[in-house]
Amino acid sequence: FDDLLRSYVSSKGVVDYNGFRKNKATLIDYIENSKKNSPTSSWSNNKEMAYWINLYNAFTILSIVEKYPIKSILDLEGGNIWDNKKFIVGGKSLSLNQIEKERLLQRFNEPNVHFAVNCAAASCPPLLNKAWTEDNIQAYFAKQAKAFINNSKYNKISADKIEVSQIFNWYAKD
């Protein structure tokens, strides 16, 4: 997955879905292998968080690649791919929202997850062009959060006005 991300996601998070489409079999192999090797109780919190973040991002990319070209992720699953599309992991059917909310936010109480999972909508934080790992997750959480917050495409702060991403409204509690 790391090789795919490095090949088809720019340092600014721009995704080359056509490139992913050309390597769809490799993406599917990664997902299938991940599904067969779901977290166990011996995994560290960082390893498990990295697993779910990578799987969420891979599922999102595959969902787009399967229907590519599309104008928006909102063109999929009646505009609500995050709840309507299901994936079987460890014998359980999970939506993208269930992965984000149950497997990540509820389990680990880590609000930086919002800067790590990429919903492929224009208002979402950019996709990291590297895979998340047990060893890099904490550093990348800080890097991604800072980059998103300081990116004027998503957040604008001036002497007269503050405009912030909808993410801060949607997940104000976090």
Side-chain angles (χ1 to χ4, degrees):
F1 191 50
D2 189 66
D3 288 342
L4 289 170
L5 291 169
R6 288 175 188 269
S7 297
Y8 303 116
V9 181
S10 76
S11 61
K12 294 185 179 184
V14 177
V15 180
D16 174 5
Y17 290 107
N18 199 41
F20 272 106
R21 196 179 81 178
K22 290 175 185 173
N23 283 283
K24 182 178 172 183
T26 304
L27 179 60
I28 290 170
D29 286 347
Y30 166 75
I31 290 170
E32 291 305 314
N33 187 49
S34 294
K35 287 165 53 175
K36 291 176 191 170
N37 296 288
S38 57
T40 68
S41 61
S42 67
W43 286 23
S44 71
N45 286 351
N46 284 344
K47 184 175 181 177
E48 187 173 344
M49 282 190 288
Y51 170 89
W52 288 114
I53 290 166
N54 288 328
L55 201 53
Y56 179 105
N57 290 337
F59 280 147
T60 301
I61 293 166
L62 180 62
S63 297
I64 292 170
V65 165
E66 289 175 333
K67 302 292 184 180
Y68 194 79
I70 60 170
K71 290 184 180 184
S72 167
I73 193 164
L74 295 172
D75 295 338
L76 303 176
E77 300 292 328
N80 193 7
I81 186 172
W82 303 280
D83 287 313
N84 292 345
K85 185 152 185 172
K86 304 289 184 174
F87 308 92
I88 306 297
V89 182
K92 295 186 176 158
S93 176
L94 297 170
S95 68
L96 291 169
N97 269 338
Q98 286 174 306
I99 291 172
E100 181 180 12
K101 292 175 180 163
E102 296 170 16
R103 303 294 175 178
L104 287 162
L105 293 169
Q106 288 175 7
R107 173 141 166 66
F108 299 106
N109 194 31
E110 175 53 75
N112 283 314
V113 161
H114 298 298
F115 306 111
V117 296
N118 181 269
C119 71
S123 60
C124 286
L127 181 63
L128 184 66
N129 65 343
K130 299 168 188 70
W132 295 79
T133 69
E134 179 177 24
D135 295 329
N136 71 23
I137 193 166
Q138 293 303 321
Y140 285 158
F141 272 157
K143 179 183 178 251
Q144 288 295 96
K146 186 175 182 178
F148 181 75
I149 290 166
N150 291 314
N151 188 327
S152 61
K153 178 181 173 184
Y154 305 103
N155 305 289
K156 295 177 179 89
I157 301 172
S158 68
D160 303 328
K161 179 164 77 167
I162 295 175
E163 295 176 53
V164 295
S165 167
Q166 279 298 107
I167 283 181
F168 296 105
N169 289 327
W170 298 330
Y171 301 108
K173 180 181 168 223
D174 297 334

